[in-house]
């Protein structure tokens, strides 16, 4: 059986698929009316045509005779939608680059704890931790960070990924590449 790659879909059908994946991954099975409303379709028939095409392409399953019988096929129920929100420096800090660039669907078993979003690494200051230029890193938001953790730190209006070292009143952000110098967080620095 041939299954169409979501990249090959017409833009509107790809958007419907992305919407359905988000909703189904969150445990909500939208009706045709919900889909039509989300996309401003004049009738449920347009939503039905998109759903039927996605089912025919193997990208969606529909339980017969159920109004809300849409499901993700096979192992897709274990996929986690994660937005890629921009870039983070692994080198000299860079200005914040936050803006939804794309969304990736990754196996949720890859993460513990589950990340809130992904950032693309720019630079090689963390190479000895296995974080390379061009990698995507999963970021889990927490109210505090512990000594020895790898963190995404915002210093003033710039962000960087580094190893956090604290001691007394001192906070340092350490690279994991000897070609880079540590960053000393100054008292009062945001």
């Amino acid at each position: 059986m041939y299954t169409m790659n979501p990249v090959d879909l017409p833009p509107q059908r790809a958007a419907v698929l992305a919407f359905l994946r988000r909703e189904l991954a969150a445990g909500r099975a939208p009706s045709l009316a919900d889909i039509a409303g989300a996309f401003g379709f004049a009738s449920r028939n347009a939503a039905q045509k998109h759903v039927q095409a996605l089912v025919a392409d193997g990208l969606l399953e529909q339980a017969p005779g159920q109004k809300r019988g849409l499901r993700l096929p096979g192992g897709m129920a274990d996929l986690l939608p994660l937005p890629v929100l921009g870039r983070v420096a692994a080198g000299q800090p860079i200005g914040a680059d936050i803006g939804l660039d794309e969304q990736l669907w990754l196996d949720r078993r890859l993460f513990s704890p589950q990340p809130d979003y992904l950032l693309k690494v720019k630079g090689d200051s963390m190479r000895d931790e296995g974080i390379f230029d061009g990698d995507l890193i999963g970021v889990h938001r927490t109210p505090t960070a512990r000594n020895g953790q790898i963190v995404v730190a915002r210093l003033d209006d710039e962000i960087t990924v580094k190893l956090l070292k604290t001691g007394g009143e001192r906070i340092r952000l350490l690279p994991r590449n000897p070609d880079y110098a540590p960053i000393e967080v100054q008292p009062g620095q945001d």
Side-chain angles (χ1 to χ4, degrees):
M1 177 172 109
Y2 170 76
T3 57
M4 182 176 271
N5 183 333
V7 175
D8 299 333
L9 295 174
Q12 190 168 47
R13 186 152 305 139
V16 169
L17 178 60
F19 168 78
L20 290 171
R21 284 179 171 172
R22 269 192 315 276
E23 293 297 301
L24 293 169
R28 297 182 296 266
S31 67
L32 292 174
D34 296 333
I35 299 166
F39 288 90
F41 297 150
S43 73
R44 292 183 293 187
N45 288 342
Q48 171 112 20
K49 287 180 182 180
H50 285 292
V51 167
Q52 287 173 336
L54 293 168
V55 169
D57 290 338
L59 298 170
L60 200 58
E61 292 178 354
Q62 187 169 25
Q66 291 184 13
K67 273 188 171 179
R68 296 182 182 265
L70 297 175
R71 294 189 300 249
L72 296 173
M76 289 189 70
D78 291 330
L79 294 180
L80 174 68
L82 290 170
V84 180
L85 292 184
R87 297 176 303 146
V88 63
Q92 292 301 312
I94 58 174
D97 178 29
I98 303 299
L100 184 60
D101 293 329
E102 61 182 304
Q103 180 170 287
L104 295 178
W105 289 77
L106 301 172
D107 189 330
R108 66 180 66 243
R109 295 170 292 193
L110 293 172
F111 304 101
S112 180
Q114 179 177 307
D116 296 300
Y117 57 91
L118 302 170
L119 291 173
K120 188 169 190 160
V121 175
K122 182 177 185 335
D124 65 350
S125 74
M126 296 300 289
R127 71 165 193 220
D128 294 349
E129 285 290 338
I131 301 172
F132 300 98
D133 186 50
D135 282 355
L136 289 172
I137 57 172
V139 180
H140 175 71
R141 285 188 185 113
T142 61
T144 59
R146 294 185 316 270
N147 186 43
Q149 281 185 314
I150 294 176
V151 299
V152 173
R154 180 183 300 269
L155 296 171
D156 300 318
D157 288 328
E158 298 180 328
I159 58 174
T160 188
V161 58
K162 296 287 185 274
L163 180 69
L164 176 67
K165 282 294 180 183
T166 59
E169 298 292 315
R170 192 173 180 189
I171 300 173
R172 297 174 71 208
L173 299 171
L174 305 179
R176 303 299 288 141
N177 176 340
D179 295 339
Y180 292 84
I183 297 171
E184 298 282 338
V185 180
Q186 301 302 314
Q189 189 174 12
D190 185 20

